Amino acid sequence: MRDYYTLKVNLPAGIVSPGTLQTLLKLAYEAKVRTVRFGARQQLLMTVHYEDMRFLEKDLKQHEIAYELNSEQYPNIISSYCGEDVFRTGAWLRESEYHTVLDQFDYQPRLKVNLSDSNQSFTPFFTGNLNFIASSDPHFWYLYVRPKQTNTLFRWPELIYTNDIGRLAKAVEEAMLGVGLQDEESLYRAITGSQSFITQPAVEEVELPEFSLPYYEGFNRYGQRSWLGLYRRDEQFSIAFLLDICALCLKTRIGELCVTPWKSLIIKGISEKDRAAWSYVLGKHNINVRHAANELAWQTEDHTDEGTELKNYVLRYFAKNDTRTFGLCFGIQTRPKSEVFGSVLVRKRPLLRLGQLALFSVYDIYFTENFNPNSRTYRLFEKGLFKLHLPNQLNRLCRKFNARRQEEDSETVRIDTEKTESAPNKATSIYQCPHCFTVYDEQYGDTRSNIPAGTRFDQLPADYQCSTCDAPKAELRELPVELVS
């Protein structure tokens, strides 16, 4: 008999109300669970001892909370809603549209469904089986289909209307899993032959942005409010901390929390008058919100500590060698057929087996085409590496990426230099926040903080803070002239 069970609760689109999460956490705490995780598909995960599982199951059923034990029959619907407003404001895609789509799913999908704003790069586009991506035409979506257990991806011939997404998704799932249709032509013919949908012709491929992972941790201002990103190095969130978070959300009338594919939590809509209360909760539970940006750019598998431990092993090497990883994200795959998101992929491979038991393993390093993590094409960089040699080879790949980016940008830099050669030099200084990499340029000032253009850094008020993450003025560092000239 198992000693422990892995319990999963789907949080559709990564959205959960504080009241619902509070109920879940209280039930888990009564079952002697003390920490939980958030999964790569924005779900809630916990490990429960078998003696306590039957009591927790009874409570979950009583509260009509759907869950799974040690299985992935019903993958969560994931979405880019967690980054809406704070990282990306789409031309038409807003909170109401996400909820309109979610309300249509009156069934539990067995296929992975992704809902994405096409203008963001915070959440993956193509890790689902049904990947809906907002088009430039209001309320119409691209659909990219990837049959289960394949790397084949094809675009649906038409753009799908917002109000038809749930119905189309259900029809495609029934045709693929029930009838066994997999190819583009037969699938399209079967679906459109039996039902009608509001559509527009999809005359071109979706245009995706260049990948850039935003800094998603700590307090950050947007508009008149702030959002708070919470990341844990070991991916474990204590239930006591999360219960305090839920209570504060309810007290300050924050209606929802957002789980990200990076196994972190985002709370939006924090008013300025409540900042002190949020800081108090962080301090009470000793929560750090100043991790390095390169540490946040990793995705590991759910239900295992192995990937997390390997990530931290590599990060220690990166910190020692001051490795630049800007523009990259990393995935670690320790089990066959598991899926992680990354422009650089580390795959563990058994080299010597005894039956089903791997006695000795090595690591292979892959990178995606153009280093875009949304590409489905992987290229081998190095294979058969011992763990000892893995960090150095990843460092070498990072350097290769940076050299390539420098070459691609050199022509643009040359043109810009030619345009400004005859212009008089302006002795301005630029200071950068070491946490979120936001810069203060004396030439432009800081409109968000009402600092006029031309204000020297030494003239800034003593209480000036980074306009993005609120780091104090004293922590900003002047960039060398050669980096900004």
Side-chain angles (χ1 to χ4, degrees):
M1 179 181 290
R2 276 181 197 270
D3 288 337
Y4 289 92
Y5 291 106
T6 298
L7 184 141
K8 181 194 76 170
V9 178
N10 284 336
L11 308 175
I15 305 169
V16 62
S17 71
T20 298
L21 183 58
Q22 186 182 63
T23 299
L24 263 168
L25 295 172
K26 285 182 176 179
L27 296 179
Y29 197 86
E30 290 172 3
K32 302 178 182 177
V33 179
R34 294 296 177 262
T35 61
V36 296
R37 288 178 169 179
F38 298 107
R41 289 197 65 83
Q42 300 171 295
Q43 68 273 51
L44 180 69
L45 307 172
M46 65 184 77
T47 303
V48 189
H49 194 272
Y50 77 93
E51 291 181 348
D52 303 304
M53 192 64 244
R54 58 193 179 98
F55 300 108
L56 180 55
E57 280 195 283
K58 180 181 177 181
D59 290 337
L60 291 172
K61 290 174 181 176
Q62 183 178 345
H63 285 82
E64 298 182 343
I65 297 173
Y67 64 92
E68 283 188 271
L69 287 181
N70 303 316
S71 68
E72 285 290 341
Q73 186 177 358
Y74 301 104
N76 193 34
I77 300 171
I78 72 170
S79 80
S80 57
Y81 178 75
C82 54
E84 184 63 33
D85 288 334
V86 298
F87 297 134
R88 172 65 206 159
T89 11
W92 59 268
L93 185 55
R94 291 288 189 273
E95 174 186 355
S96 58
E97 280 76 25
Y98 284 103
H99 285 288
T100 295
V101 174
L102 290 177
D103 289 343
Q104 299 169 36
F105 285 86
D106 53 359
Y107 69 100
Q108 285 189 290
R110 289 179 293 161
L111 293 179
K112 297 177 181 178
V113 177
N114 289 19
L115 307 172
S116 302
D117 180 351
S118 61
N119 296 298
Q120 57 85 41
S121 60
F122 186 51
T123 62
F125 289 99
F126 303 120
T127 58
N129 303 116
L130 304 180
N131 303 281
F132 293 94
I133 304 173
S135 75
S136 57
D137 295 320
H139 305 293
F140 282 91
W141 302 66
Y142 287 94
L143 168 59
Y144 284 82
V145 180
R146 180 170 63 90
K148 291 188 71 173
Q149 307 300 323
T150 74
N151 202 35
T152 304
L153 189 73
F154 59 83
R155 191 197 68 202
W156 199 255
E158 298 163 326
L159 301 179
I160 313 301
Y161 186 56
T162 294
N163 290 357
D164 279 343
I165 286 180
R167 190 162 57 93
L168 179 68
K170 187 174 184 178
V172 173
E173 180 174 299
E174 291 173 348
M176 292 179 71
L177 301 184
V179 183
L181 301 179
Q182 299 290 313
D183 65 282
E184 178 181 359
E185 186 176 344
S186 60
L187 193 61
Y188 176 75
R189 189 166 55 245
I191 301 299
T192 57
S194 59
Q195 300 184 56
S196 60
F197 302 91
I198 299 175
T199 62
Q200 287 186 8
V203 295
E204 56 188 9
E205 300 293 332
V206 64
E207 186 176 344
L208 300 179
E210 182 179 350
F211 176 79
S212 176
L213 182 66
Y215 190 83
Y216 58 82
E217 194 190 24
F219 283 108
N220 301 271
R221 284 202 293 266
Y222 70 110
Q224 300 302 310
R225 293 180 175 268
S226 296
W227 60 268
L228 172 62
L230 297 170
Y231 155 85
R232 303 302 290 151
R233 181 166 284 167
D234 60 359
E235 300 178 358
Q236 300 281 355
F237 288 79
S238 78
I239 287 183
F241 169 59
L242 292 178
L243 283 174
D244 279 353
I245 289 290
C246 292
L248 187 52
C249 283
L250 293 170
K251 181 180 179 181
T252 58
R253 298 189 177 185
I254 292 176
E256 59 192 18
L257 299 94
C258 297
V259 177
T260 83
W262 304 96
K263 304 188 178 184
S264 59
L265 195 63
I266 286 180
I267 300 112
K268 306 177 189 178
I270 298 174
S271 65
E272 206 61 32
K273 65 181 178 63
D274 297 324
R275 281 283 297 269
W278 285 94
S279 294
Y280 171 79
V281 171
L282 296 180
K284 174 183 175 182
H285 295 276
N286 195 32
I287 303 297
N288 177 31
V289 289
R290 283 285 182 264
H291 293 94
N294 65 0
E295 184 175 343
L296 305 180
W298 291 74
Q299 193 176 86
T300 58
E301 298 153 315
D302 299 334
H303 314 301
T304 178
D305 292 325
E306 186 176 1
T308 307
E309 292 167 357
L310 185 60
K311 174 191 80 171
N312 292 328
Y313 174 74
V314 173
L315 283 172
R316 286 192 291 272
Y317 180 94
F318 280 7
K320 181 179 178 181
N321 292 272
D322 203 19
T323 302
R324 176 179 170 83
T325 63
F326 180 77
L328 293 171
C329 61
F330 303 81
I332 297 180
Q333 188 181 61
T334 64
R335 301 189 302 258
K337 298 184 179 178
S338 66
E339 189 166 36
V340 291
F341 178 67
S343 49
V344 176
L345 180 64
V346 177
R347 284 181 179 161
K348 182 181 178 182
R349 174 166 53 88
L351 194 63
L352 183 63
R353 286 183 177 274
L354 179 61
Q356 296 298 315
L357 180 64
L359 298 178
F360 186 74
S361 297
V362 292
Y363 298 91
D364 302 330
I365 300 176
Y366 296 83
F367 63 95
T368 54
E369 188 173 13
N370 298 320
F371 290 94
N372 187 327
N374 288 298
S375 170
R376 306 299 303 176
T377 304
Y378 284 95
R379 304 187 186 282
L380 180 66
F381 180 68
E382 289 289 349
K383 64 183 297 185
L385 298 171
F386 299 137
K387 180 180 177 180
L388 176 68
H389 300 138
L390 183 61
N392 180 58
Q393 292 304 316
L394 287 171
N395 180 63
R396 192 165 69 87
L397 181 55
C398 291
R399 291 180 180 276
K400 176 179 178 179
F401 167 75
N402 291 325
R404 171 179 171 167
R405 171 170 278 190
Q406 189 175 16
E407 289 176 4
E408 291 175 349
D409 292 344
S410 61
E411 183 64 20
T412 303
V413 172
R414 184 186 64 79
I415 293 173
D416 288 344
T417 302
E418 289 176 352
K419 287 181 179 179
T420 58
E421 265 182 352
S422 58
N425 292 328
K426 296 184 179 180
T428 62
S429 297
I430 293 179
Y431 290 77
Q432 186 175 56
C433 174
H435 308 296
C436 66
F437 305 115
T438 298
V439 298
Y440 175 78
D441 189 335
E442 295 179 349
Q443 183 177 351
Y444 300 103
D446 184 350
T447 55
R448 182 180 291 180
S449 302
N450 297 316
I451 305 296
T455 303
R456 296 199 314 270
F457 187 78
D458 59 10
Q459 294 176 327
L460 293 174
D463 61 352
Y464 176 78
Q465 298 173 317
C466 170
S467 60
T468 300
C469 72
D470 288 346
K473 172 185 174 182
E475 294 187 10
L476 272 62
R477 296 289 179 263
E478 185 173 7
L479 293 180
V481 174
E482 62 269 18
L483 294 182
V484 298
S485 60

